[in-house]
Amino acid sequence: MTISDVTARLHHRSHGHVDRPGARFDAALGRRMALVGLLAAVVAVLGIDARSTYGARVSSDEPQYLLTAISLAEDLDLDIGDEIADQRYRDFHEVTLDPQTTALNDGGQELSPHDPLLPALLAIPVRLAGWVGAKLALAVVVGITAALTLFAAHRRYGVSAPVATWVVIGFFASPPLTSYGSQIYPAAPAALAVVAGTLAVTAQAGRGADLAALASLVALPWLSVKHVPVAAVLAVALLWAGRADRHRLAWRTAILAAAALVYVVAHHRIYGGWTVYAAGDHFVDGELGVLGSDPDYLGRSRRLVGLLVDRGFGLAAWTPAFLALPAALAALARRRRPETVLLLAVVGAGWATATWAAATMHGWWWPGRQVVAVLPLAVVAIAAWADGSGRRLAAVVTGTALGALTWLWLVWEASTGRRTIIVDFEQTAAPWYRLWRPLLPDLRAPDAADALLTVAWVAVLVALVVGAWLASATGRRAVAARPEPGAR
């Protein structure tokens, strides 16, 4: 289906002919989900051979996850001391490895300071196909997440299936959602858990939905403790949804409390602290060192906009369609329905964690790592904003196409030795990024010009938010004033 076909349908809908989500086209929706999932997985697979650094296929925390997966697959334990001693990392990290860990006891046990659920998920793929198997598994996770995001947009948030299809595949073929389908971090599984948890929490009451919601909530902290704020928002929503049934509320509360207790006790007994950071050599002065040695929370507030428009690490720097996010969230806020409140709260929790809790937004990783977990819901919000307007849809599709082309250009460079995904990705020769980057502020070492650019972008984003808010109010009044079909 072409953009013009979608625009025609939008025109059809704007005159009162609305296809209710889920009322028809169940089989068609399933085919769309399969197509979107397949395309998202295929694009993610294209990044498998892109090198993270010179002298290493994977870098930073990625070797740690792989070594723990190898240990789980072969030894059924988390101790990577023998894997490091035997240099089991040489297949994917040719240069000297930063072990990141210290001996926890007299036996010399060494545990990676990273939560163990991702290595557990990758243990079998790693055993079958090494580091390539791990990346293939993550590409599949991205595909599943894309399919569920399409389902959520259409069934939970009322976005027309054609618009949801175009928007979802556009974003999942662009960085950072596609990037983390070929980089070994818990970001992609966390995104899947957030989408699945949101769908389960907003579903009609049922045992299956409850189990899915609880599984997602339990999974998020075990993927990374950084996802606890998002998990907390979903937990509150789950308990609130069951408040009318005291029996259901009681057992949901009991399971969540038991899961939290198991998490804390297990980490204390296994890692020697309340979090995995107790096992890390970077945090010998305490686990809270992960927040930064001397956090400047006021200064970190610039990340509220920097996470979006920073020259190197902003989402819009690589995929311009993310500029629609503030306006989309503002328009969605006008709906004031439980499912929209939940979406706004989850995205807000993820964004706040990346803004104030993360030690830096400029790290040894691909941009957007801290917010990937909530980006599928951000995509849903943008799809809802684009629905009903051919111009907005065209702008979003164009913005994601530029992002996809830029990413594929960089993947080609990083697969042929010209660039890498981590060290020098900002030096890519991708035409759009070279043209676009001078208009964005560099917040790593901002000067007066960067400060002016930041102020200018704040003004632009505020104007977009106000415009979306007012347009949404006008649209609501117009719908309310429209006579019912057949009315005289």
Side-chain angles (χ1 to χ4, degrees), residues 50-67:
R51 299 181 73 88
S52 292
T53 65
Y54 297 102
R57 290 192 174 278
V58 300
S59 186
S60 188
D61 299 340
E62 294 179 279
Q64 300 290 318
Y65 289 115
L66 285 173
L67 287 172

Side-chain angles (χ1 to χ4, degrees), residues 41-213:
V42 167
V43 175
V45 165
L46 295 177
I48 285 180
D49 199 40
R51 299 181 73 88
S52 292
T53 65
Y54 297 102
R57 290 192 174 278
V58 300
S59 186
S60 188
D61 299 340
E62 294 179 279
Q64 300 290 318
Y65 289 115
L66 285 173
L67 287 172
T68 304
I70 292 171
S71 183
L72 286 171
E74 297 179 356
D75 306 330
L76 298 180
D77 63 35
L78 296 170
D79 185 359
I80 62 172
D82 53 333
E83 281 75 23
I84 293 176
D86 294 339
Q87 298 188 5
R88 296 295 303 278
Y89 52 83
R90 289 298 184 183
D91 287 344
F92 46 82
H93 196 278
E94 300 93 314
V95 296
T96 302
L97 179 76
D98 176 10
Q100 295 192 11
T101 185
T102 57
L104 290 179
N105 50 44
D106 294 337
Q109 184 185 46
E110 296 181 65
L111 304 182
S112 175
H114 304 282
D115 278 290
L117 183 53
L118 177 61
L121 295 173
L122 298 180
I124 293 178
V126 166
R127 185 63 181 268
L128 294 175
W131 63 271
V132 174
K135 290 194 172 190
L136 286 171
L138 290 174
V140 171
V141 168
V142 167
I144 296 171
T145 307
L148 287 183
T149 302
L150 171 59
F151 183 88
H154 182 54
R155 285 292 187 87
R156 292 290 189 272
Y157 293 91
V159 181
S160 68
V163 170
T165 301
W166 277 96
V167 174
V168 170
I169 191 52
F171 277 105
F172 275 86
S174 308
L177 286 169
T178 192
S179 311
Y180 285 93
S182 59
Q183 296 178 60
I184 303 169
Y185 289 96
L192 175 57
V194 169
V195 174
T198 302
L199 281 169
V201 169
T202 55
Q204 297 297 323
R207 188 177 301 275
D210 281 352
L211 292 176

Side-chain angles (χ1 to χ4, degrees), residues 204-224:
Q204 297 297 323
R207 188 177 301 275
D210 281 352
L211 292 176
L214 291 168
S216 299
L217 290 174
V218 171
L220 282 168
W222 284 97
L223 286 166
S224 175

Side-chain angles (χ1 to χ4, degrees), residues 322-419:
F322 277 113
L323 287 175
L325 179 57
L329 295 176
L332 203 63
R334 298 296 302 230
R335 297 189 181 186
R336 298 177 183 175
R337 294 202 294 260
E339 66 272 15
T340 60
V341 172
L342 176 60
L343 184 150
L344 294 169
V346 171
V347 173
W351 207 271
T353 302
T355 297
W356 292 292
T360 179
M361 65 170 282
H362 301 97
W364 195 259
W365 54 69
W366 177 260
R369 174 185 169 190
Q370 302 100 322
V371 294
V372 167
V374 299
L375 286 188
L377 294 187
V379 170
V380 170
I382 294 173
W385 173 78
D387 200 18
S389 169
R391 286 186 297 179
R392 290 199 293 263
L393 177 61
V396 170
V397 171
T398 301
T400 56
L402 291 171
L405 291 173
T406 299
W407 172 250
L408 293 177
W409 187 296
L410 180 58
V411 163
W412 172 73
E413 291 178 321
S415 300
T416 55
R418 292 168 173 80
R419 292 282 178 265

